[in-house]
Amino acid sequence: MKPTETLPNDLLADINIYPVGFLADWQHFVHNPDRKDARRRFRYALRYPLRQARARNWRAVKNYFNGYLAEHAHLGTRCGTGWTRGRAYRDLARHLNSDPRSAA
């Protein structure tokens, strides 16, 4: 990790990293003990990106495949995204380090 992509320890406690879009739907499908409900909910969730693709709303389709989002609870900057938790954290750190409003 580059030195410019790390955050001070006082900012780390306020960072939330969570799955969104396809990854959240997939994790629910894999970890739900009720298989029938899991399949139904997963099929229903996949309707959204298909509907957006038919409408040629490619930004919504791309955002559905973000993976993880990392966001700071108090600073009003952009979110970090990535297919892994670490990549989302590094992307958020890059945004916080480039933002003149942040305390980092």
Side-chain angles (χ1 to χ4, degrees):
M1 189 181 310
K2 295 179 184 176
T4 59
E5 293 183 346
T6 59
L7 295 173
N9 289 336
D10 58 339
L11 290 178
L12 291 178
D14 295 331
I15 293 177
N16 299 323
I17 302 175
Y18 52 92
V20 293
F22 178 75
L23 189 59
D25 295 337
W26 179 254
Q27 285 183 353
H28 181 269
F29 174 71
V30 170
H31 297 294
N32 190 357
D34 184 6
R35 301 311 299 162
K36 184 177 178 182
D37 178 56
R39 279 192 303 271
R40 182 175 42 80
R41 184 170 170 185
F42 188 62
R43 277 196 325 261
Y44 184 77
L46 289 179
R47 290 180 185 176
Y48 173 75
L50 291 174
R51 188 172 53 246
Q52 296 302 323
R54 286 184 191 121
R56 292 181 169 38
N57 187 357
W58 303 116
R59 180 173 290 182
V61 174
K62 178 182 118 354
N63 287 340
Y64 182 73
F65 292 100
N66 273 342
Y68 284 98
L69 279 185
E71 61 184 359
H72 193 273
H74 306 295
L75 298 177
T77 61
R78 294 176 45 194
C79 295
T81 63
W83 270 102
T84 63
R85 294 173 64 86
R87 177 63 186 126
Y89 166 77
R90 287 189 301 274
D91 193 35
L92 176 66
R94 183 174 55 88
H95 293 309
L96 288 176
N97 284 333
S98 66
D99 188 9
R101 297 176 293 164
S102 67

